[in-house]
Amino acid sequence: IVLTQFPGTLSLSPGERATLSCRASQSVASSYLAWYQQKPGQAPRLLIYYATSRATGIPDRFSGSGSGTDFTLTISRLEPEDFAMYYCQQYGSSPVPFGGGTKVEIK
Amino acid sequence: EVQLVESGGGLVQPGRSLRLSCAASGFTFDDYAMHWVRQAPGKGLEWVAGISWNGGSIGYADSVKGRFTISRDNAKNSVYLQMNSLRAEDTALYYCAKDRGGGSSGWTPFHYWGQGTLVTVSS
């Protein structure tokens, strides 16, 4: 499975809504789709798994949706700390692909 | 507190070998699958290999199959990545990551990550 993320870069202001997309080349079984956030110089952090479930400690402004081949990560109101790279990942069996990432930058 | 500490990175010539280690603490290590994920400078994430809680299930990315070997020692709470026949394109920060499950029925998301160890392959 190949995961394609778009847009490559999202330029938004704090308080705005961010919508990030991840499209799979084949249907993702059992919605085995996760989202990660990565800030410069830091390891990735798990945000969402099973397409819609928030990981422990993740604020409710982050939400995931989708099934099959099309998935979305939504940040309802951007906080300053949300400007970062975001990656989707399909898990379940080997190999475990990641998408190419979407950079959310301050406008 | 879960901690994953990678070590063993460095500068190595093409064609040579390197062994990475990841020391885990703060959880019952032999209950969980573990993974190696790499990130080339300025690039995205690439899954390298995964191993189930008992080593019974192992998977590799096509880019490293036949050259890299993942293993674990549950008595030492450690996972390893033996990297042979290294190439320039293997240059990356290598992260160790903890699966949410044991891995016997497939992989689940990676909910803890180390800070990585840098491997540079260059002559």
Side-chain angles (χ1 to χ4, degrees):
Chain A
I1 291 183
V2 175
L3 300 178
T4 302
Q5 291 187 242
F6 55 93
T9 303
L10 205 48
S11 298
L12 295 168
S13 300
E16 290 193 294
R17 180 184 187 91
T19 303
L20 289 67
S21 296
C22 176
R23 179 165 293 160
S25 59
Q26 304 171 41
S27 183
V28 176
S30 305
S31 293
Y32 285 167
L33 194 286
W35 290 92
Y36 296 83
Q37 177 194 67
Q38 187 180 33
K39 297 178 182 180
Q42 296 185 16
R45 177 175 70 146
L46 177 65
L47 299 175
I48 300 286
Y49 60 100
Y50 292 125
T52 61
S53 299
R54 265 187 305 275
T56 303
I58 301 304
D60 61 8
R61 64 181 181 273
F62 291 90
S63 63
S65 63
S67 63
T69 59
D70 290 293
F71 298 88
T72 300
L73 174 69
T74 301
I75 311 171
S76 59
R77 290 178 316 279
L78 282 164
E79 297 288 340
E81 62 267 27
D82 299 336
F83 291 92
M85 284 293 295
Y86 292 85
Y87 296 94
C88 60
Q89 176 207 40
Q90 182 262 328
Y91 52 90
S93 58
S94 301
V96 179
F98 286 89
T102 290
K103 181 179 182 180
V104 178
E105 64 175 23
I106 299 177
K107 187 175 181 180
Chain B
E1 179 193 3
V2 172
Q3 285 200 319
L4 300 171
V5 180
E6 302 92 338
S7 61
L11 174 63
V12 62
Q13 292 179 327
R16 304 297 291 266
S17 299
L18 207 57
R19 188 196 196 208
L20 306 183
S21 300
C22 171
S25 60
F27 63 100
T28 305
F29 182 74
D30 54 12
D31 279 349
Y32 294 94
M34 299 294 295
H35 300 267
W36 288 97
V37 177
R38 69 184 181 184
Q39 187 168 36
K43 302 297 184 182
L45 302 171
E46 180 188 16
W47 176 79
V48 174
I51 184 168
S52 63
W53 67 277
N54 63 352
S57 293
I58 288 176
Y60 296 98
D62 287 345
S63 58
V64 306
K65 203 172 291 184
R67 300 188 299 124
F68 290 11
T69 302
I70 190 171
S71 62
R72 65 188 295 156
D73 185 337
N74 287 345
K76 295 183 177 180
N77 286 0
S78 294
V79 61
Y80 308 98
L81 187 68
Q82 177 67 42
M83 305 186 295
N84 298 332
S85 303
L86 282 162
R87 305 167 180 168
E89 54 265 36
D90 296 318
T91 294
L93 185 64
Y94 284 73
Y95 292 104
C96 169
K98 173 183 175 291
D99 201 290
R100 289 185 82 245
S104 296
S105 301
W107 313 125
T108 57
F110 309 165
H111 66 148
Y112 287 99
W113 297 64
Q115 288 304 304
T117 186
L118 182 62
V119 173
T120 303
V121 183
S122 175
S123 54

